[in-house]
Amino acid sequence: MTLTELLPAVQDLPAADKLTLFHVLAEQLDSGEDISPLVPGHVYHIATPYDMVGVGEALMDALKENK
């Protein structure tokens, strides 16, 4: 069955069944073939402005300069 044939049937599903389908597919991807360069179980640190004093003010200043 192709994706084009499957989509109309999926669109007719109730929301709860769509969510269940989503979980099933996500689990299959998680345990299936490698789909990304990320290593399973590895912690990746992402830089964010959380808990960084002055970042909001610096961002506002940058936005004002670009106006």
Side-chain angles (χ1 to χ4, degrees), residues 1-27:
M1 180 178 281
T2 67
L3 184 59
T4 306
E5 296 169 335
L6 185 61
L7 282 178
V10 170
Q11 290 173 343
D12 291 339
L13 290 173
D17 289 343
K18 287 179 184 177
L19 188 57
T20 302
L21 176 61
F22 175 79
H23 284 280
V24 168
L25 293 174
E27 286 175 4

Side-chain angles (χ1 to χ4, degrees), residues 30-66:
D30 188 38
S31 62
E33 59 190 63
D34 185 20
I35 61 169
S36 70
L38 303 177
V39 177
H42 184 79
V43 175
Y44 293 90
H45 297 281
I46 300 173
T48 67
Y50 177 75
D51 203 26
M52 298 182 79
V53 178
V55 171
E57 186 177 341
L59 180 59
M60 287 304 297
D61 291 343
L63 289 171
K64 288 176 185 175
E65 288 177 12
N66 285 331

